[in-house]
Amino acid sequence: MSELWPRFAIPGGGFVALLVVVVLAALVVRELRRRPPRRLVAWRVLSAIAIALVTTQPRWTVERSETTRGRVAVLVDGSRSMGVHDRSEDVARLLSRWSADAENATLHRFGSELEPASFSDVEGASAARADESALEAALEALVEGDRAGEIGAVVVVSDGASRHAGPSPDLDGRKVHTVAVGREELRDDALATLEADPVGFLRTPAEVRVTVRRLGAGGALPVTLRQGDEVVTEVTVDVPEGEAREVALPFTPRRLGRAVYTVSIPHAPGDEVPQNDERSFLVRVERDRLRVLLVAGEPTWDVRFFRAFLKRDPSIDLISFFILRTASDLTMASPDELALIPFPTDELFREHLGSFDVLLFQDFDFGPYQMAGYLPRIRDYVRRGGSFAMIGGEKSFASGGYAGTPIADVLPVLLPPVGTPASRLVIEGRFAPRVEPALVRHPLLALASDPSASLAAWSRLAPLEGMNRVVGVREGATVLLTHPNERLPVLVTGTAEEGRVLALTTDTAWRWGPTTGGLTGDASTFERFWDRGLRWLARDPSLEPAQLTTDRERYGPEGRVRTSAVLRDARYQPLAAETIRFEIRRDGDDTPLAGADAVTDAEGRVELALRAPTEPGAYRVVARRPSDPEPIASELFVVEAGGDELADPRAQPTRLQGLATATGGTFTTIEDAGELSSFDATRTRRLGARELAPFASPWAFLGIVALLAAEWWARRRSGAR
């Protein structure tokens, strides 16, 4: 079929084309007023028409289509909203009636994805258990699976209730007939929406925002926020009948780590959907700023640049001390008159040590400050989960007298024994540290996203000058940088029971900043290195070797938990082509409730989906090797009784009616639905379109030239001008 009206290629389109026709018509009329012979009038009219056609370039689109009759595909909504008002039972009765007329039909059910079903098991086909209703995705999957083009039309049986509407799929001429299930009116008090920041800060006020909706009743309603069995806050909100109100519930996290909170409203008599009266959410409680204690022995260049970096970072709460005066120093004035105060060892290491996230000793010897009695407390702080780093210098490691002390028990390096000559405690001279190529993915070495680019970046750094000598590394420690000639450790990371430790055996890492900047123009390596170093010490989740995430934090019962993981070992090497066991466990319990195996790719990546448990509560997805019960990675999620699927369980027939109208199908309710054979299964398929532009060819131009020449010749023969 052709378009009813032509299109014009001339700039300005139809308006300019009309103007051209008017001008040419005026010229023809002018010619007629001279009363020329009829033969010349005909030539002039033909020439004007030819000029108009070639000038305006009209063109038409011709579209070919094919109409065929195919099978009917029935899609049944299997989401949990279909369980309201026994909607699924109505569907089961409808499918039973259709089963006698289903020879040329296939049956599918959809929730979060499309699944095959059978008319011989209408109870299973109509079961309402899916956590979402992704109708558009189901239609797209149905079309992609119809390789042979056998489906002529789709019949969708649904309540239309969904909060996950996607873009309309291309059905390639297939009609969608819709059968609406359920009624819009119901009695329901609900927590329709819940919004909370996924990250909260310790002892910092926060809030969760919920929308309370009341259908079939109105009035005041208490909204309660709990953490476990403890009531955190309660707010009363007045919600008129048929309307919704937003309310904010304040709370203040008191403990670090992941916390589960629950918002609820009372179960009102006659409430037809009590599952949406309660919703839960997760908050990862962190410190608003990383608390760092830096103790430095003297103001060296390395101390200067490191302290300046720490002070510039707004996410770091820095407490730093330069030890320029000891308790035994003789003074000629009262201590109240001195600008330099004695080092407050008792206050820092007895009262406030546990409040710091990271403790740093930089070129600091403890002996002159009567700190020997506090070293066991520092060791215990690290073993209980604290973080400690020692940076090199003349007063660090064995040169600072740490050999044989409790600090040596947690360092990742082994110190020379007490009594070693001072000349054997340091190594002089410049050197470019050697990077362990197998560990270049470690966050402290990854200066670029690509391992080869990181190695190249390390080769361009300015050389270091001098280092503290150590005699080895502790079992389980990771050596990241070594001296190129002595093969001694320069940068080592490790653990001490629950804590993390780092040793940098040089005090010239500052040369990775301004000195490297003078050589290459990039002075950022020093700050990037220590930014990663501090985050690694503080256990930033984004720097963990194995990471596991879920597509959502909250699911309904039996929801589909889509899991993605990037799994690496402690040396940040990918667990490539390994079979990994994924399990769902209740938080705080190691008993698996569900599980599946998956194989990682070459980079240690893997994706899979698991079914959430039916009981509400907090759960974990755990990844582990089949032979090792210890998890490689885990992630917390929450199962809600209602979830997003039941946040608004009202039937939405207008959505289904719009889908049917857009595809040329019919819309009906389940009460008025006829037999399955009554639905039109003809498919009108577009085979392509072709544009006709007959006056755009060179032949058309030559034709008008010939026509004008013929008119000129005719006028000359008749003697007309």
Side-chain angles (χ1 to χ4, degrees):
M1 58 181 179
S2 302
E3 289 186 351
L4 183 60
W5 298 103
R7 294 177 292 108
F8 299 94
I10 189 172
F15 176 77
V16 176
L18 178 61
L19 184 62
V20 170
V21 171
V22 170
V23 171
L24 291 174
L27 293 176
V28 171
V29 171
R30 179 185 177 187
E31 182 70 17
L32 292 176
R33 288 179 177 176
R34 297 179 179 179
R35 298 183 181 276
R38 291 183 178 180
R39 185 174 53 184
L40 293 182
V41 172
W43 279 111
R44 178 54 55 93
V45 171
L46 290 175
S47 297
I49 293 173
I51 292 173
L53 292 175
V54 173
T55 303
T56 60
Q57 292 291 307
R59 55 193 63 197
W60 294 262
T61 299
V62 177
E63 184 179 274
R64 296 184 304 119
S65 61
E66 176 186 60
T67 300
T68 59
R69 185 172 182 84
R71 294 186 294 104
V72 174
V74 180
L75 265 63
V76 177
D77 190 345
S79 63
R80 290 191 298 128
S81 65
M82 293 291 288
V84 177
H85 286 158
D86 300 326
R87 295 169 186 171
S88 60
E89 295 182 9
D90 295 338
V91 173
R93 286 191 290 270
L94 177 67
L95 295 181
S96 296
R97 179 159 58 88
W98 282 356
S99 61
D101 190 27
E103 294 181 1
N104 195 36
T106 57
L107 183 61
H108 310 262
R109 68 189 308 273
F110 69 93
S112 56
E113 61 184 26
L114 189 67
E115 300 176 358
S118 172
F119 281 101
S120 61
D121 181 19
V122 295
E123 296 295 334
S126 59
R129 63 172 182 267
D131 195 33
E132 58 183 349
S133 179
L135 173 56
E136 289 79 7
L139 289 171
E140 184 174 359
L142 183 69
V143 171
E144 289 180 356
D146 186 26
R147 304 288 185 185
E150 297 177 351
I151 298 176
V154 183
V155 178
V156 175
V157 183
S158 172
D159 57 7
S162 175
R163 302 182 67 184
H164 301 281
S168 299
D170 181 9
L171 302 178
D172 196 15
R174 299 174 179 87
K175 299 179 179 67
V176 178
H177 308 286
T178 55
V179 178
V181 183
R183 53 185 173 85
E184 298 179 65
E185 302 82 10
L186 73 161
R187 170 71 174 88
D188 180 35
D189 294 342
L191 296 173
T193 65
L194 183 148
E195 297 180 4
D197 292 330
V199 178
F201 298 108
L202 186 67
R203 291 185 289 275
T204 300
E207 67 177 22
V208 55
R209 296 165 299 282
V210 296
T211 301
V212 183
R213 187 190 63 245
R214 305 201 72 178
L215 302 175
L221 198 64
V223 185
T224 305
L225 174 66
R226 291 182 173 86
Q227 184 179 15
D229 296 329
E230 177 187 355
V231 175
V232 177
T233 187
E234 184 172 283
V235 176
T236 299
V237 58
D238 187 44
V239 185
E241 179 181 351
E243 297 187 18
R245 292 289 184 269
E246 184 176 282
V247 60
L249 302 170
F251 64 98
T252 302
R254 300 296 180 185
R255 292 184 293 274
L256 293 172
R258 299 300 291 266
V260 180
Y261 291 88
T262 301
V263 182
S264 63
I265 57 177
H267 297 311
D271 192 331
E272 299 177 78
V273 192
Q275 299 95 321
N276 57 24
D277 292 347
E278 182 175 289
R279 305 203 66 171
S280 300
F281 63 98
L282 292 172
V283 177
R284 187 173 72 247
V285 183
E286 302 176 346
R287 298 185 188 275
D288 57 343
R289 303 176 71 187
L290 190 68
R291 286 179 55 81
V292 176
L293 173 59
L294 171 64
V295 182
E298 58 184 14
T300 64
W301 282 107
D302 202 43
V303 171
R304 173 185 176 182
F305 281 100
F306 188 38
R307 186 171 181 270
F309 156 69
L310 295 173
K311 290 182 66 176
R312 279 196 304 269
D313 192 332
S315 66
I316 294 176
D317 181 12
L318 175 65
I319 304 296
S320 63
F321 284 92
F322 288 92
I323 310 303
L324 302 178
R325 174 189 170 205
T326 70
S328 59
D329 287 341
L330 296 176
T331 60
M332 303 300 294
S334 168
D336 296 336
E337 300 176 4
L338 297 177
L340 297 179
I341 64 172
F343 183 38
T345 51
D346 193 72
E347 182 179 358
L348 283 177
F349 298 113
R350 185 180 298 277
E351 298 180 22
H352 301 296
L353 180 60
S355 68
F356 291 100
D357 299 296
V358 180
L359 172 62
L360 304 166
F361 278 9
Q362 186 173 21
D363 196 19
F364 170 68
D365 56 342
F366 67 94
Y369 312 103
Q370 301 176 2
M371 279 188 57
Y374 298 98
L375 299 188
R377 299 182 65 85
I378 297 175
R379 176 196 61 198
D380 295 341
Y381 153 81
V382 175
R383 288 176 172 175
R384 287 195 300 266
S387 298
F388 176 72
M390 181 173 287
I391 305 171
E394 295 179 355
K395 301 177 181 180
S396 293
F397 298 101
S399 299
Y402 290 98
T405 68
I407 294 294
D409 295 340
V410 296
L411 284 174
V413 294
L414 302 177
L415 304 182
V418 177
T420 301
S423 60
R424 296 288 300 164
L425 298 181
V426 296
I427 298 175
E428 303 290 348
R430 291 190 175 185
F431 67 95
R434 178 181 179 274
V435 179
E436 295 294 333
L439 300 175
V440 73
R441 288 184 173 88
H442 194 286
L444 272 69
L445 298 181
L447 298 182
S449 57
D450 181 70
S452 59
S454 291
L455 290 173
W458 279 101
S459 67
R460 294 191 295 267
L461 297 182
L464 305 176
E465 291 188 11
M467 61 174 286
N468 297 88
R469 183 187 294 272
V470 296
V471 296
V473 297
R474 196 170 301 281
E475 182 180 357
T478 302
V479 180
L480 302 178
L481 297 176
T482 58
H483 192 286
N485 300 324
E486 304 286 342
R487 305 293 292 178
L488 292 176
V490 176
L491 175 63
V492 185
T493 62
T495 59
E497 295 185 8
E498 299 298 321
R500 283 191 172 179
V501 287
L502 181 149
L504 179 62
T505 60
T506 180
D507 63 347
T508 58
W510 64 271
R511 293 175 57 84
W512 293 340
T515 307
T516 298
L519 296 174
T520 66
D522 182 6
S524 65
T525 300
F526 177 77
E527 294 192 355
R528 283 191 291 147
F529 168 79
W530 274 117
D531 174 71
R532 293 279 187 107
L534 291 175
R535 287 165 53 201
W536 179 86
L537 284 166
R539 299 182 183 274
D540 187 327
S542 66
L543 299 185
E544 292 300 300
Q547 300 176 24
L548 189 153
T549 59
T550 57
D551 61 327
R552 308 206 310 261
E553 288 189 343
R554 306 193 301 267
Y555 300 87
E558 295 190 82
R560 198 168 188 83
V561 183
R562 294 182 177 89
T563 302
S564 301
V566 180
L567 304 177
R568 295 168 293 190
D569 60 18
R571 295 166 60 87
Y572 288 81
Q573 292 299 301
L575 302 183
E578 281 201 34
T579 298
I580 302 297
R581 181 69 177 173
F582 289 85
E583 296 173 344
I584 291 182
R585 305 174 180 177
R586 185 176 286 275
D587 189 35
D589 188 349
D590 293 337
T591 304
L593 302 176
D597 293 337
V599 179
T600 60
D601 64 10
E603 294 297 322
R605 296 186 177 90
V606 63
E607 295 183 359
L608 82 163
L610 298 169
R611 288 288 181 189
T614 58
E615 293 295 323
Y619 296 87
R620 284 189 178 275
V621 179
V622 172
R624 64 176 181 86
R625 288 186 169 99
S627 59
D628 187 357
E630 288 299 316
I632 303 172
S634 69
E635 180 67 308
L636 192 66
F637 68 92
V638 169
V639 174
E640 301 178 293
D644 287 341
E645 174 61 22
L646 293 182
D648 188 355
R650 290 174 292 181
Q652 300 178 24
T654 54
R655 179 186 178 214
L656 299 175
Q657 188 171 14
L659 177 61
T661 302
T663 59
T666 59
F667 167 79
T668 184
T669 63
I670 194 168
E671 293 83 7
D672 299 330
E675 297 303 320
L676 189 57
S677 57
S678 65
F679 292 101
D680 182 10
T682 57
R683 172 188 178 191
T684 302
R685 184 183 180 193
R686 295 183 58 184
L687 300 179
R690 185 165 60 94
E691 187 175 71
L692 297 180
F695 304 104
S697 67
W699 294 108
F701 178 76
L702 292 176
I704 190 175
V705 171
L707 188 61
L708 292 174
E711 181 189 0
W712 175 83
W713 180 78
R715 295 176 71 85
R716 290 294 298 255
R717 284 195 61 184
S718 66
R721 287 185 288 173

